[in-house]
PDB file of all heavy atoms in Angstrom:
ATOM      1  N   ARG N 117     111.099 -22.657 178.389  1.00 97.00           N
ATOM      2  CA  ARG N 117     110.464 -23.654 177.528  1.00 97.00           C
ATOM      3  C   ARG N 117     109.388 -23.044 176.633  1.00 97.00           C
ATOM      4  O   ARG N 117     108.854 -21.973 176.898  1.00 97.00           O
ATOM      5  CB  ARG N 117     109.869 -24.802 178.342  1.00 97.00           C
ATOM      6  CG  ARG N 117     108.729 -24.400 179.256  1.00 97.00           C
ATOM      7  CD  ARG N 117     108.350 -25.554 180.172  1.00 97.00           C
ATOM      8  NE  ARG N 117     107.353 -26.439 179.563  1.00 97.00           N
ATOM      9  CZ  ARG N 117     107.463 -27.762 179.527  1.00 97.00           C
ATOM     10  NH1 ARG N 117     108.526 -28.381 179.998  1.00 97.00           N
ATOM     11  NH2 ARG N 117     106.502 -28.497 179.010  1.00 97.00           N
ATOM     12  N   VAL N 118     109.085 -23.841 175.604  1.00 98.00           N
ATOM     13  CA  VAL N 118     107.955 -23.527 174.726  1.00 98.00           C
ATOM     14  C   VAL N 118     107.013 -24.711 174.833  1.00 98.00           C
ATOM     15  O   VAL N 118     107.458 -25.864 174.864  1.00 98.00           O
ATOM     16  CB  VAL N 118     108.403 -23.375 173.251  1.00 98.00           C
ATOM     17  CG1 VAL N 118     107.213 -23.150 172.341  1.00 98.00           C
ATOM     18  CG2 VAL N 118     109.411 -22.251 173.108  1.00 98.00           C
ATOM     19  N   SER N 119     105.727 -24.423 174.888  1.00 98.00           N
ATOM     20  CA  SER N 119     104.782 -25.523 174.994  1.00 98.00           C
ATOM     21  C   SER N 119     103.636 -25.324 174.005  1.00 98.00           C
ATOM     22  O   SER N 119     103.057 -24.238 173.936  1.00 98.00           O
ATOM     23  CB  SER N 119     104.267 -25.565 176.435  1.00 98.00           C
ATOM     24  OG  SER N 119     103.067 -26.254 176.482  1.00 98.00           O
ATOM     25  N   ILE N 120     103.368 -26.353 173.230  1.00 98.00           N
ATOM     26  CA  ILE N 120     102.196 -26.322 172.354  1.00 98.00           C
ATOM     27  C   ILE N 120     101.267 -27.435 172.817  1.00 98.00           C
ATOM     28  O   ILE N 120     101.675 -28.596 172.924  1.00 98.00           O
ATOM     29  CB  ILE N 120     102.569 -26.524 170.865  1.00 98.00           C
ATOM     30  CG1 ILE N 120     103.577 -25.450 170.418  1.00 98.00           C
ATOM     31  CG2 ILE N 120     101.321 -26.463 169.988  1.00 98.00           C
ATOM     32  CD1 ILE N 120     104.109 -25.642 169.004  1.00 98.00           C
ATOM     33  N   GLU N 121     100.049 -27.061 173.122  1.00 98.00           N
ATOM     34  CA  GLU N 121      99.026 -28.036 173.539  1.00 98.00           C
ATOM     35  C   GLU N 121      97.869 -27.938 172.560  1.00 98.00           C
ATOM     36  O   GLU N 121      97.496 -26.838 172.141  1.00 98.00           O
ATOM     37  CB  GLU N 121      98.486 -27.672 174.925  1.00 98.00           C
ATOM     38  CG  GLU N 121      99.530 -27.555 175.982  1.00 98.00           C
ATOM     39  CD  GLU N 121      99.339 -28.566 177.092  1.00 98.00           C
ATOM     40  OE1 GLU N 121      98.235 -29.137 177.183  1.00 98.00           O
ATOM     41  OE2 GLU N 121     100.305 -28.782 177.831  1.00 98.00           O
ATOM     42  N   ALA N 122      97.300 -29.083 172.246  1.00 98.00           N
ATOM     43  CA  ALA N 122      96.194 -29.086 171.285  1.00 98.00           C
ATOM     44  C   ALA N 122      95.378 -30.358 171.480  1.00 98.00           C
ATOM     45  O   ALA N 122      95.896 -31.340 172.007  1.00 98.00           O
ATOM     46  CB  ALA N 122      96.751 -29.033 169.867  1.00 98.00           C
ATOM     47  N   PRO N 123      94.130 -30.340 171.037  1.00 97.00           N
ATOM     48  CA  PRO N 123      93.326 -31.554 171.164  1.00 97.00           C
ATOM     49  C   PRO N 123      93.608 -32.567 170.058  1.00 97.00           C
ATOM     50  O   PRO N 123      93.090 -33.672 170.084  1.00 97.00           O
ATOM     51  CB  PRO N 123      91.889 -31.028 171.045  1.00 97.00           C
ATOM     52  CG  PRO N 123      92.014 -29.792 170.228  1.00 97.00           C
ATOM     53  CD  PRO N 123      93.355 -29.197 170.532  1.00 97.00           C
ATOM     54  N   SER N 124      94.412 -32.176 169.063  1.00 97.00           N
ATOM     55  CA  SER N 124      94.675 -33.076 167.927  1.00 97.00           C
ATOM     56  C   SER N 124      96.044 -32.742 167.340  1.00 97.00           C
ATOM     57  O   SER N 124      96.608 -31.675 167.611  1.00 97.00           O
ATOM     58  CB  SER N 124      93.622 -32.865 166.835  1.00 97.00           C
ATOM     59  OG  SER N 124      93.846 -31.594 166.234  1.00 97.00           O
ATOM     60  N   ALA N 125      96.502 -33.650 166.486  1.00 98.00           N
ATOM     61  CA  ALA N 125      97.782 -33.399 165.818  1.00 98.00           C
ATOM     62  C   ALA N 125      97.683 -32.185 164.892  1.00 98.00           C
ATOM     63  O   ALA N 125      98.659 -31.456 164.703  1.00 98.00           O
ATOM     64  CB  ALA N 125      98.196 -34.641 165.034  1.00 98.00           C
ATOM     65  N   ALA N 126      96.481 -31.970 164.318  1.00 98.00           N
ATOM     66  CA  ALA N 126      96.312 -30.790 163.445  1.00 98.00           C
ATOM     67  C   ALA N 126      96.580 -29.525 164.247  1.00 98.00           C
ATOM     68  O   ALA N 126      97.273 -28.614 163.789  1.00 98.00           O
ATOM     69  CB  ALA N 126      94.910 -30.768 162.848  1.00 98.00           C
ATOM     70  N   GLY N 127      96.036 -29.467 165.459  1.00 98.00           N
ATOM     71  CA  GLY N 127      96.265 -28.299 166.318  1.00 98.00           C
ATOM     72  C   GLY N 127      97.749 -28.119 166.619  1.00 98.00           C
ATOM     73  O   GLY N 127      98.274 -27.001 166.551  1.00 98.00           O
ATOM     74  N   LEU N 128      98.436 -29.235 166.921  1.00 98.00           N
ATOM     75  CA  LEU N 128      99.886 -29.140 167.172  1.00 98.00           C
ATOM     76  C   LEU N 128     100.604 -28.586 165.947  1.00 98.00           C
ATOM     77  O   LEU N 128     101.505 -27.756 166.044  1.00 98.00           O
ATOM     78  CB  LEU N 128     100.479 -30.518 167.492  1.00 98.00           C
ATOM     79  CG  LEU N 128     100.163 -31.155 168.837  1.00 98.00           C
ATOM     80  CD1 LEU N 128     100.951 -32.465 168.971  1.00 98.00           C
ATOM     81  CD2 LEU N 128     100.481 -30.219 169.991  1.00 98.00           C
TER      82      LEU N 128
END
Side-chain angles (χ1 to χ4, degrees):
R117 65 189 272 131
V118 176
S119 159
I120 303 174
E121 304 242 344
S124 70
L128 288 184

